[in-house]
Amino acid sequence: MITPVAEINGASNANMKAAVEKPLDRDAFLKLLITQLRYQDPLRPMEDKEFIAQLAQFSSLEQMQNMNKSLEAFLQNQTAFQAIGLIGHVVEGIDPRGGEKVNGVVKSIRFDGSTILLKVNDRELPLGAISLVQ
């Protein structure tokens, strides 16, 4: 009978699953790379091309993550500017709390976390609940 490696090291399936699902961040990648270099076969060391390729892949991944964060911030700002542009306009929408149709002039907007609320006829409607702008 062969004993699984996880049992020898005392790791449970839950711990292994949690470790697998955890995203690989910059520190984890660098630790993995240092460990790989430390325990490489001295008779067959990692070629510098492989090392440079791994660093380039990681750098590319990090740049993509930074670009994604910037794009998300840009989209949030774009939505905020869209809501600001509705002030003074007549809008129509459905109040999600009561399901009633609301029609009126947008008097102000309010940011509640990531939700943008428009003040229409003394009611606050989420921007996504607006169906018509006049």
Side-chain angles (χ1 to χ4, degrees):
M1 180 172 168
I2 299 173
T3 305
V5 175
E7 289 181 19
I8 293 172
N9 292 332
S12 68
N13 287 340
N15 290 342
M16 287 179 60
K17 185 177 180 183
V20 169
E21 291 177 358
K22 182 180 177 187
L24 188 65
D25 62 354
R26 179 185 335 176
D27 294 335
F29 176 81
L30 292 175
K31 286 179 185 177
L32 182 63
L33 188 60
I34 289 170
T35 302
Q36 183 179 0
L37 290 172
R38 182 178 295 147
Y39 294 107
Q40 67 182 334
D41 184 356
L43 300 176
R44 293 179 34 197
M46 180 191 295
E47 291 188 27
D48 52 337
K49 291 180 214 172
E50 293 175 34
F51 179 71
I52 291 170
Q54 285 182 356
L55 285 177
Q57 287 176 344
F58 178 71
S59 177
S60 175
L61 176 63
E62 188 174 22
Q63 290 293 330
M64 287 173 53
Q65 288 174 339
N66 290 339
M67 190 167 63
N68 189 32
K69 288 177 186 176
S70 296
L71 184 59
E72 286 176 1
F74 173 77
L75 290 175
Q76 286 176 346
N77 289 337
Q78 187 71 18
T79 304
F81 285 127
Q82 179 185 13
I84 290 169
L86 292 176
I87 294 175
H89 286 82
V90 177
V91 296
E92 185 177 291
I94 304 294
D95 187 349
R97 291 174 288 196
E100 296 176 35
K101 188 175 183 179
V102 178
N103 188 351
V105 176
V106 178
K107 296 183 180 181
S108 65
I109 63 169
R110 182 172 70 88
F111 298 95
D112 184 23
S114 62
T115 304
I116 298 174
L117 300 169
L118 308 175
K119 183 132 186 180
V120 180
N121 296 343
D122 298 327
R123 290 189 181 180
E124 287 187 330
L125 298 177
L127 181 62
I130 302 301
S131 58
L132 177 68
V133 178
Q134 297 178 357

